[in-house]
Amino acid sequence: MLGTTANSFADEVNVYSGRQEALIKPLLDEFTERTNIKVNLVTGKGDALISRLSSEGELSPADLILMADAGRLVRANKMGLTQSIESAVILQRVPQALRASNNHWIALTKRARPIMYVKGKVDPVSISSVQDLGDESLKGQICIRSSSNIYNQSMLASMIMLNGENETREWAKGVVKNFARTPKGGDRDQIKAIVAGECNFAVANTYYLGGMLASQDDETREIAEQVGVIWPDQEGQGTHVNVSGAAITKYAQNKDEAQMLLSFMLEEASQRWYAEVNHEYPIIEGVKWSDELTSLGKFKAQSIDLERMGELNAQALKLMDQAGWR
Ligand code: FE
């Protein structure tokens, strides 16, 4: 462009990130150092960034979006805001189950949503399946966040796929009856609530506990160290797993650069760093987990179609509403 000679970067890529800057910036800086491609980062809430992308239309500066739930990536794809990723390197690295069937999005990390309890206080043997959370013997014992939360929507969407709508609705009704309190706060708050004695069991994503275990704050670490993880459904369907991932926008001006950035994020060293800092599971097999995640143990994960799960998010929300899950 005329008059922009002051820019020392030949190329750039514009990223809308639903992930916090601290969790991604060092990786982006390393990419810039290696390629001389400048990364312009806009961070915000995932849903707000999708709305922004949608209203900006063809004029959107965004080339790449980073989102922390398959449901949001699926939605962006359905809304026509994305385009197919064509780089052979990327498509070879990302297993088919971890990307859209039309290659409009890819996963970058995985996260699990197990059940947590306080070690020595509760007998974890009383729960072996997520189904047990709906059992009347657990009345008043469960802390879980609200139905407006996309992680819960995705979890119930996966249950609809595996068990059908009616069974999932009945289960949700049972869980609502077992609430220790009206849902409030985020996953970290549910973890804190079991340690505070407000409830016996919490449902939360692994990286929240991982992050608390690695916290610089002594109090946070002391809370997290009391928490044990129950990996539900190890004999059957496996524990619910979701992904964080990325998509290239439909009107990306810098598609090549966006694909270069994604390839970079899929390299072993990047996967290791990204997963380590976020306490998520890398999507590339063989990449080492963070010490905190390793301490939570290995588990059998659900094997489900993430795309279908994302499509069922709205239905899952409706079902939670019918069950009185606010
Ligand atoms: Fe989160």
Side-chain angles (χ1 to χ4, degrees):
M1 214 196 298
L2 250 86
T4 54
T5 48
N7 190 347
S8 62
F9 293 99
D11 301 299
E12 62 180 6
V13 58
N14 299 296
V15 179
Y16 281 5
S17 173
R19 320 216 66 181
Q20 292 168 37
E21 183 164 339
L23 301 182
I24 182 155
K25 189 73 168 49
L27 198 61
L28 302 180
D29 288 345
E30 203 183 313
F31 172 74
T32 300
E33 201 167 299
R34 193 198 294 183
T35 61
N36 210 32
I37 296 169
K38 187 185 178 194
V39 183
N40 302 309
L41 181 66
V42 173
T43 56
K45 294 267 181 212
D47 291 338
L49 290 173
I50 289 176
S51 300
R52 177 168 164 183
L53 185 63
S54 173
S55 59
E56 285 171 343
E58 282 181 62
L59 299 172
S60 177
D63 301 304
L64 190 71
I65 56 170
L66 295 175
M67 291 288 147
D69 189 287
R72 292 204 176 95
L73 294 164
V74 169
R75 190 170 354 124
N77 185 356
K78 290 271 172 248
M79 288 169 76
L81 302 174
T82 56
Q83 63 170 295
S84 73
I85 293 163
E86 276 144 359
S87 154
V89 177
I90 297 172
L91 300 179
Q92 268 165 25
R93 294 225 88 184
V94 182
Q96 206 146 18
L98 294 174
R99 53 181 150 96
S101 55
N102 62 5
N103 295 328
H104 275 228
W105 55 262
I106 59 164
L108 289 169
T109 58
K110 293 186 279 190
R111 59 270 296 281
R113 196 160 179 73
I115 299 162
M116 301 181 191
Y117 69 102
V118 177
K119 289 182 277 191
K121 191 187 142 194
V122 176
D123 184 4
V125 175
S126 57
I127 292 190
S128 65
S129 167
V130 163
Q131 295 300 327
D132 297 334
L133 295 178
D135 193 279
E136 54 188 21
S137 65
L138 296 182
K139 196 164 175 56
Q141 296 188 41
I142 294 165
C143 281
I144 185 166
R145 64 203 283 185
S146 86
S147 60
S148 64
N149 171 249
I150 197 162
Y151 306 144
N152 282 342
Q153 292 166 19
S154 291
M155 186 173 82
L156 268 87
S158 77
M159 294 175 80
I160 292 172
M161 290 168 72
L162 293 166
N163 310 322
E165 202 177 328
N166 288 336
E167 198 177 317
T168 306
R169 189 184 298 102
E170 288 313 304
W171 173 82
K173 284 180 186 168
V175 173
V176 169
K177 281 186 193 146
N178 292 341
F179 281 171
R181 57 181 192 180
T182 305
K184 61 175 180 183
D187 280 7
R188 246 182 237 104
D189 298 304
Q190 317 309 317
I191 297 171
K192 287 177 186 163
I194 49 172
V195 174
E198 280 192 73
C199 30
N200 285 338
F201 300 102
V203 176
N205 285 352
T206 36
Y207 57 88
Y208 288 108
L209 183 58
M212 288 170 76
L213 285 168
S215 172
Q216 303 289 316
D217 179 60
D218 292 346
E219 201 186 314
T220 302
R221 227 173 33 251
E222 277 161 26
I223 289 172
E225 279 161 3
Q226 298 177 55
V227 175
V229 168
I230 299 168
W231 294 108
D233 300 290
Q234 294 305 284
E235 305 294 321
Q237 298 168 343
T239 300
H240 177 61
V241 167
N242 204 325
V243 299
S244 79
I248 297 180
T249 65
K250 182 173 182 188
Y251 299 109
Q253 300 281 312
N254 306 292
K255 183 174 181 179
D256 289 346
E257 289 80 1
Q259 292 193 125
M260 282 172 74
L261 177 54
L262 286 182
S263 302
F264 171 78
M265 292 182 81
L266 291 165
E267 286 178 12
E268 194 167 326
S270 311
Q271 276 278 301
R272 170 115 196 247
W273 185 91
Y274 193 50
E276 173 108 24
V277 169
N278 293 290
H279 296 288
E280 293 179 85
Y281 301 100
I283 64 150
I284 305 293
E285 287 298 322
V287 174
K288 198 174 163 282
W289 297 0
S290 77
D291 291 343
E292 289 76 12
L293 281 195
T294 303
S295 76
L296 305 183
K298 289 195 172 146
F299 62 98
K300 176 186 170 186
Q302 256 178 6
S303 165
I304 50 157
D305 178 351
L306 292 170
E307 202 156 29
R308 183 80 189 118
M309 183 185 82
E311 287 166 6
L312 284 168
N313 260 37
Q315 202 179 323
L317 176 58
K318 201 173 124 197
L319 186 151
M320 280 190 273
D321 209 53
Q322 291 163 347
W325 189 324
R326 299 289 182 258

